[in-house]
């Protein structure tokens, strides 16, 4: 391994992983001694940590409950059926240091107020809180910060500087997807966007708009909104086809919505990708099961969980952020 120049800022777990040539989740498992990896991989990670002068920090806290709270902003049914949450929970558990910590998971529907939950989280029953979900909750983050509770958001919060966060490069991933559609010769490219009042919805829409304006400056963007469910994707696609019957491609801000888009296209008698190319986002299991297989943007869910755990345990600074890259996964749909 080559010598690594040291920087003035404290090195991060993601930098250690990058220099060792492994995923962030693997680096976390090596440094936490939380799972077995090969001796060769462990040596690379430990060498990278040494060369970078990486030191794991612990949150300054008198708490030692052994519990990390995970607050998921989603309806309970959605939480149990959404593959994102299944993958995330698996990544979080693998990243926990040793066997001396547990996860306490709470689901909170949108616009729900839960005074008992707030009292629990601020009452010294957990060592840190991970906030998960597109809706977020800035008020809860502020309450936790005032209670000196370490808190990290999985996903960019709607307001900057309120809480530390870990996120995927939603804007860049969306831009890559639309650039692929442009490069394949598609001329009229629409998008089914996520809710505009969420950071993930706004970022993926911004990536679509950037790519369209760069590669199709004369084209008029076409946007319909969904709520990340299959049904909303189907309804949004029908609206787009009514407005733009000549469209020949669509970027969809989630694979669940893309499944609905494919259903709408079949009902309209349109072929994928011959008539309309489709690209989704997430690389959820539904993407591989779709017919045709869904081209999509993969976000590293397990690594996001590992980074969030590491940031939570080291004592996050307000506004600190880690953004992990995404990757385009080509299949038959676009």
């Amino acid at each position: 391994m080559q010598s690594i120049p040291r920087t003035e800022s404290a090195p991060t777990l993601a930098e250690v992983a990058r220099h060792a040539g492994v995923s962030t989740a693997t680096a976390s498992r090596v440094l936490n001694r939380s799972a077995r990896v090969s001796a060769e991989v462990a040596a690379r990670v430990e060498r990278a940590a040494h060369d970078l002068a990486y030191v794991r920090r612990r949150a300054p806290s008198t708490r030692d409950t052994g519990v990390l709270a995970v607050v998921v902003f989603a309806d309970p049914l959605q939480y149990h059926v959404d593959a994102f949450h299944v993958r995330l929970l698996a990544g979080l558990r693998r990243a926990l240091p040793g066997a001396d910590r547990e996860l306490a998971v709470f689901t909170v529907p949108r616009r729900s107020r839960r005074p008992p939950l707030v009292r629990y989280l601020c009452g010294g029953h957990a060592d840190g809180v991970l906030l998960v979900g597109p809706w977020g909750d800035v008020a809860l983050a502020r309450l936790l910060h005032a209670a000196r509770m370490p808190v990290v958001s999985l996903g960019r919060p709607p307001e900057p500087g309120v809480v530390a966060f870990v996120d995927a490069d939603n804007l860049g991933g969306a831009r890559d997807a639309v650039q692929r559609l442009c490069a394949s010769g598609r001329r009229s490219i629409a998008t089914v966007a996520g809710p505009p009042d969420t950071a993930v919805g706004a970022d993926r829409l911004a990536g679509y708009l950037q790519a369209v304006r760069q590669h199709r400056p004369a084209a008029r963007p076409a946007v319909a909104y969904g709520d990340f469910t299959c049904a909303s994707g189907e309804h949004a696609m029908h609206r787009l086809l009514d407005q733009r019957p000549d469209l020949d491609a669509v970027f969809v801000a989630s694979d669940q919505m893309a499944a609905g888009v494919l259903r709408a296209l079949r009902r309209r008698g349109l072929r994928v990708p011959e008539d309309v190319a489709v690209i989704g986002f997430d690389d959820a299991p539904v993407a591989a099961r779709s017919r045709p297989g869904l081209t999509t943007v993969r976000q590293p869910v397990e690594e996001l969980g590992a980074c969030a755990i590491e940031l939570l345990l080291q004592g996050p600074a307000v506004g600190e952020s880690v953004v992990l890259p995404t990757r385009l996964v080509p299949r038959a749909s676009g």
Side-chain angles (χ1 to χ4, degrees), residues 143-224:
L143 285 172
L144 294 170
H145 182 65
R148 298 184 179 274
M149 172 68 73
V151 56
V152 171
S153 171
L154 193 84
R156 181 175 66 82
E159 294 182 19
V162 174
V163 62
F165 70 90
V166 176
D167 201 7
D169 184 8
N170 292 295
L171 188 151
R175 187 174 57 228
D176 290 346
V178 179
Q179 286 175 343
R180 175 182 173 87
L181 293 171
C182 292
S184 68
R186 306 289 169 159
R187 308 301 303 179
S188 181
I189 303 171
T191 185
V192 175
D197 60 344
T198 66
V200 63
D203 287 348
R204 293 178 187 179
L205 176 58
Y208 160 81
L209 292 172
Q210 282 187 13
V212 168
R213 288 165 180 163
Q214 178 182 356
H215 297 279
R216 296 287 185 271
R220 178 167 50 92
V223 182

Side-chain angles (χ1 to χ4, degrees), residues 274-304:
E274 292 85 355
D275 300 321
V276 180
V278 180
I279 296 182
F281 204 114
D282 291 331
D283 198 24
V286 68
R289 294 197 304 263
S290 296
R291 292 294 176 268
L294 182 65
T295 296
T296 186
V297 178
R298 180 176 179 82
Q299 58 173 332
V301 178
E302 292 83 359
E303 290 186 50
L304 288 169

